[in-house]
Amino acid sequence: MSPAAPRVGYLLTVGRTLLRKSTAIDHWRAAIAREDAEDLLALALGVAADALDAEAIVPARVARRYQEYLERRAAGEPVALIRGVVEFAGLTLAVRPGVFVPRGSSELLAQAAVAALRRRQVKVAVDVACGAAPVACAVADALPSAEVWGLDIDPAAVALSRANARRNRLGNAHFKVSDLLAGLPRRLRGEVGAFTMHPPYVARREVRALPREIRGFEPRHTLTDGSPDGLGLVRDLVEEAPGWLRGGGVLLFEVAPYLSRPVQALMRRADLEVTVQADPGGITRVVVGRLRG
């Protein structure tokens, strides 16, 4: 860093250069280093990223704070954990170490659940392995009349989910520590209109190949269920969920595109009507199984 009070443009150049050299960051898009540098400088300044002025002078104490953020990011720590919050479907959600950080790609899963539930008179949604509750909160926010449940085996995730629901004033969102569906109230059997799940779908032997910013900062149990193909929990939920669904209810999984066909096959074997939904780039992200009737 420059010893004198530097300008925004200079600090952004320093940040981009440092982050581009990091081998702990997954540079899957060319613009990632630039965007992360902008987000972190905006965080240090307490302004929105689009409000940065390249010619503005940055106080030395803010520049030091920015340097600290850059070093954390260069070591692989996700920007979301440095910020402490993420924006998801118009909501602000707290994040914390030890709980999976929500991804923007999961908004498609939430949207698919909302679309399926809008057509139903009785609206009950259950998000399994809810983590910080991005999907559960998004569904509860979009459908205030719905009864929404988030389930997770990790008490820390459930505590964070409840805090995020309170933060966004979502009184229709409820959370329980649960091994799959074990904690779901029995009265909901046959009443659920939509199950959602972003499963830990990385195959056991593939975890070590993940980028440092993922395997070093996300809990292992949120990345893999320990099965050889990463579909152990998917198989379990495909087996259990139909007994809880109303006729015409849906089971929705967010998975990597390469797992779409295996998940579709599991659903068809369970006699579910299968469709898929793609993101704006045409990449299949959500596999939908509908209970007949």
Side-chain angles (χ1 to χ4, degrees), residues 117 123-127 135-141 143-150 170-175 184 188 196:
L117 288 165
K123 296 176 173 59
V124 179
V126 180
D127 187 42
V135 173
C137 285
V139 173
D141 181 60
L143 300 171
S145 65
E147 180 180 354
V148 180
W149 285 85
L170 300 171
N172 59 329
H174 316 279
F175 301 92
L184 198 59
L188 295 179
T196 53

Side-chain angles (χ1 to χ4, degrees), residues 210-233:
L210 292 172
R212 162 77 176 154
E213 65 178 300
I214 297 177
R215 60 181 165 80
F217 292 89
E218 300 288 9
R220 183 181 175 87
H221 74 272
T222 70
L223 301 175
T224 181
D225 60 19
S227 61
D229 61 357
L231 296 179
L233 287 181

